[in-house]
Amino acid sequence: MNNTYFVTGTDTDAGKTLATSALLCAARQRQLTTLGLKPIASGSEATPNGLRNRDALALQAQSFPPVDYPTINPWTFAPAIAPHLAALEAGAVLNVASVTQALSDTLTGTPRDLTLIEGAGGWRVPLNDADDFSDLPCALGLPVILVVGLKLGCLNHARLTAEAIAADGLTLAGWVGSVVDPAFASDSARFTANVALLKRALPAPCLGLIPHLAHADASTAQRFIFLDALLPFATQEATL
């Protein structure tokens, strides 16, 4: 599973989908093939083609060559609640074995230069009564990309999440900062000091700092992504 990463966040609404889409978009700018997966998503809307989740659609838009929606998001639920509760209400069974089998089949059948699997919420969000979303990258042995929602409290959240990833025996491959609170970045000196602490404290390279964007789309956000720190060899080959 070369160049396949699991993307988690410091919290819900940390900017995971924007960062994941931006990373995929940056890879596409390098003429790399891409795949963004959101295996489980709640908070979806009814469409003529079935339930569709906004985050999963954003990842589908940055997947090239294109793939169908069920490949991106095989478990889709309508209510915007914790996925394990949404699954319970829908009568669906979520477990590590079934989800990792589906992901393994997709990864085998759809090899790409960069594949990103986006989780839900933070590292310890429940998958069911016994398992967490973090059990998925553990079962697959995937390195992790952490999206840090840059706001008051992010230093603690980021460091604790990095410690949890390490405690689970996985590698933190990189982190992306996403400004979710404009006020947090309004004081340049303090913001710079916070980012500097994150760069010192987190045991992985910073892959980008995405500012608060008026139009938060992947093509705009990818300008703030440093892909070479994640895929040095693939990007070098693509630019020769």
Side-chain angles (χ1 to χ4, degrees), residues 23-128:
L23 286 162
L24 293 170
C25 186
R28 291 185 63 185
Q29 295 289 321
R30 302 286 190 118
Q31 306 301 311
L32 301 177
T33 57
T34 57
L35 181 63
L37 303 177
K38 180 86 173 178
I40 304 165
S42 55
S44 306
E45 297 180 359
T47 75
N49 296 317
L51 288 174
R52 293 293 183 264
N53 175 266
R54 182 182 301 177
D55 293 346
L57 290 170
L59 301 187
Q60 184 183 23
Q62 297 305 323
S63 297
F64 185 82
V67 294
D68 61 13
Y69 183 86
T71 298
I72 303 292
N73 179 211
W75 283 275
T76 313
F77 304 106
I81 58 178
H84 75 292
L85 295 179
L88 185 65
E89 291 183 6
V93 177
L94 294 177
N95 57 59
V96 175
S98 60
V99 178
T100 54
Q101 183 60 59
L103 288 171
S104 295
D105 291 344
T106 298
L107 295 174
T108 300
T110 318
R112 299 294 166 89
D113 295 320
L114 176 63
T115 298
L116 301 180
I117 302 170
E118 183 184 327
W123 188 245
R124 292 290 187 232
V125 166
L127 185 65
N128 53 46

Side-chain angles (χ1 to χ4, degrees), residues 125-173:
V125 166
L127 185 65
N128 53 46
D129 286 344
D131 305 314
D132 296 327
F133 268 78
S134 56
D135 292 314
L136 301 178
C138 288
L140 294 167
L142 296 178
V144 180
I145 296 172
L146 173 61
V147 180
V148 179
L150 296 175
K151 61 179 182 178
L152 186 64
C154 69
L155 303 183
N156 178 60
H157 294 163
R159 297 173 73 183
L160 286 176
T161 304
E163 290 173 7
I165 292 167
D168 284 342
L170 296 180
T171 299
L172 183 64

